[in-house]
Amino acid sequence: MTTDTSSGALPVRAHLASAPGEPVLDVVIPVFNEEKDLGPCVRRLHDHLTRTFPYPFRITIADNASTDRTPEVAAGLAAAVVGVRSTRLEEKGRGRALRTVWARSDAPVLAYMDVDLSTDLNALLPLVAPLISGHSDLAIGTRLARSSRVVRGAKREFISRAYNLLLRSSLSARFSDAQCGFKAIRRDVAERLLPLVEDSGWFFDTELLVLAERAGLRIHEVPVDWVDDPDSTVHIARTATEDLKGVWRVGRALAVGALPLDRLARPFGDDPRDRTALPGVPRGLARQLLGFCAVGVLSTLLYLLLYSVFRSAAGPQLANAAALLLSAVANTAANRRLTFGVRGRDRAVRHQAQGLVVFAIGLVLTSGSLAALGAASDRPAHGTELAVLITANLAATVLRFLLFRAWVFPERRGTYVKDDIR
């Protein structure tokens, strides 16, 4: 299946097919003033990849405005070791370095690791294998899995676990370790995801993962063996402060729908939703019916609750109209997001306006039912009113679904508009 990318839809992921000699993997090592450790790190990594990695590879040294001899060491390694190159950035920032190198790389799979090589290199192939095979979109090493073996002080252990707990509680993150300097991403994913990431420092990793997860991309986790570097130059207090600012910024953007994640909602690759549907069954109908029914049950309960509250202070027609209006607004918003997968604020006002037209039709049905009940009985019991309203709402619900699917949130020709693409 070919997807039109002119509208922002993601292309279907192709299999890796690099030309002979072209790298499949590009491992980036961001460094700042690492003249002592850079040489041993690169040579050890190069030796490991030469012995164990079955595809062509490249190692890229990304110098973050170092002020010592790091640039000279990097240039010497690039000249002496095959498959090593270096690039110089005049501004600091790990995120800036990764964004720059990944954006320029021609390798289908992009990775990075810290220069101290705290992570056991035996985890590198398991990290990138799901990306090479096409199964996953991003991959991270995790030090917090039960099978991980980690050697580090209690202070760093506490900070790491507290930070990831913060991400789970504030941003609903489900990945286990945001800070481990051992990650990989497919280039086709990076091309769409990196423009949405604002941070250029240490929070870059976290922001990348949160946006990827919210967009529905697949994140593969690999338990790693990790030994803390006692000579690490990371400033914990400053980094923690910047991370908290980043959490607030990303959380606020997600809350107000400011990020166009709907463009990434359709995962890369062989998506079962792209396959031919059952004969005679419109694509997505079964899932939409389930979502619509769930929303309908909740909105009906909300409607009945509101009607009972309003009925104690107003007549049946006014109580019905007010309860139906409020529940209709909530129903349209819930169906827009949950049933038909429309995210962001684009056309939200239009959808609500169309939902109010559907509401008006429901109002005619339920008000007509109440009028008929009033004509048949001067003082109908409250339970009888509710029974009539439930019956009328069932009929209105069927009509509402048909109108939502065909008019308010229609499926566009050639695309699965709602939760598959954009």
Side-chain angles (χ1 to χ4, degrees):
M1 174 181 176
T2 301
T3 304
D4 179 15
T5 60
S6 62
S7 62
L10 294 175
V12 173
R13 175 164 54 200
H15 295 291
L16 296 178
S18 61
E22 292 185 357
V24 169
L25 172 67
D26 192 348
V27 183
V28 182
I29 303 176
V31 293
F32 174 73
N33 290 348
E34 296 286 356
E35 60 180 4
K36 177 182 177 181
D37 296 332
L38 181 57
C41 162
V42 170
R43 294 184 183 279
R44 178 183 165 196
L45 174 59
H46 187 274
D47 177 67
H48 177 83
L49 288 171
T50 300
R51 289 185 293 102
T52 65
F53 195 69
Y55 302 99
F57 63 87
R58 178 194 298 133
I59 299 173
T60 301
I61 304 167
D63 174 27
N64 289 254
S66 294
T67 57
D68 62 358
R69 293 187 59 258
T70 297
E72 290 82 358
V73 175
L77 289 168
V81 183
V82 177
V84 175
R85 71 177 183 181
S86 66
T87 185
R88 164 81 174 180
L89 287 85
E90 298 303 328
E91 295 181 85
K92 289 180 62 177
R94 182 177 68 175
R96 179 179 289 107
L98 293 177
R99 185 199 313 277
T100 301
V101 175
W102 283 353
R104 297 174 181 172
S105 181
D106 57 352
V109 176
L110 313 169
Y112 95 87
M113 62 180 59
D114 293 333
V115 68
D116 55 21
L117 296 186
S118 294
T119 304
D120 183 5
L121 292 179
N122 288 322
L124 183 56
L125 183 56
L127 181 82
V128 301
L131 309 188
I132 294 174
S133 69
H135 175 270
S136 300
D137 303 300
L138 300 89
I140 65 174
T142 175
R143 300 160 295 182
L144 303 181
R146 290 185 177 181
S147 56
S148 298
R149 295 175 218 140
V150 177
V151 178
R152 62 176 168 180
K155 179 180 178 181
R156 285 183 176 268
E157 179 76 11
F158 172 78
I159 292 175
S160 180
R161 291 188 178 275
Y163 180 65
N164 284 282
L165 179 61
L166 172 66
L167 294 181
R168 288 177 178 271
S169 60
S170 61
L171 298 179
S172 301
R174 294 189 298 273
F175 49 85
S176 64
D177 192 349
Q179 296 174 311
C180 183
F182 194 69
K183 297 182 175 69
I185 187 172
R186 289 184 61 100
R187 190 185 71 223
D188 49 5
V189 179
E191 288 173 352
R192 296 298 181 114
L193 196 54
L194 289 179
L196 304 181
V197 180
E198 294 185 18
D199 191 81
S200 296
W202 292 97
F203 187 70
F204 174 88
D205 302 48
T206 300
E207 186 170 359
L208 182 77
L209 291 173
V210 169
L211 298 187
E213 188 174 73
R214 287 298 186 97
L217 303 183
R218 184 171 287 170
I219 302 174
H220 175 70
E221 296 198 6
V222 177
V224 297
D225 297 342
W226 195 85
V227 179
D228 193 12
D229 178 15
D231 299 322
S232 175
T233 59
V234 177
H235 193 291
I236 296 178
R238 185 190 316 136
T239 301
T241 301
E242 293 302 317
D243 285 347
L244 291 176
K245 292 179 180 178
V247 169
W248 168 257
R249 174 177 55 79
V250 172
R252 183 175 180 277
L254 291 172
V256 301
L259 294 169
L261 296 181
D262 48 352
R263 294 186 323 203
L264 298 171
R266 177 188 177 280
F268 288 75
D270 183 18
D271 189 339
R273 293 171 293 182
D274 292 335
R275 301 170 188 169
T276 303
L278 295 175
V281 178
R283 288 171 42 168
L285 178 59
R287 184 193 57 77
Q288 290 178 356
L289 276 173
L290 289 175
F292 184 82
C293 288
V295 172
V297 169
L298 295 177
S299 61
T300 298
L301 293 175
L302 175 63
Y303 164 78
L304 294 175
L305 175 62
L306 291 173
Y307 178 80
S308 297
V309 172
F310 295 151
R311 185 65 178 87
S312 63
Q317 293 289 3
L318 182 58
N320 173 63
L324 193 57
L325 175 61
L326 293 178
S327 60
V329 171
N331 181 278
T332 299
N335 275 306
R336 182 178 188 269
R337 175 66 175 83
L338 302 177
T339 302
F340 297 95
V342 180
R343 297 171 173 84
R345 293 177 290 185
D346 183 36
R347 295 185 296 171
V349 175
R350 176 183 173 183
H351 290 155
Q352 280 293 349
Q354 291 173 308
L356 289 178
V357 174
V358 177
F359 148 75
I361 296 174
L363 180 61
V364 170
L365 286 175
T366 54
S367 296
S369 300
L370 283 176
L373 178 62
S377 176
D378 291 336
R379 300 184 62 182
H382 183 64
T384 304
E385 284 184 351
L386 291 180
V388 170
L389 286 174
I390 290 173
T391 303
N393 268 288
L394 287 175
T397 297
V398 174
L399 181 60
R400 186 183 304 120
F401 176 76
L402 295 176
L403 289 174
F404 273 176
R405 183 174 172 84
W407 179 48
V408 183
F409 310 108
E411 179 180 341
R412 295 177 184 172
R413 182 176 300 175
T415 58
Y416 197 24
V417 173
K418 303 308 169 194
D419 62 348
D420 290 300
I421 65 170
R422 278 245 193 124

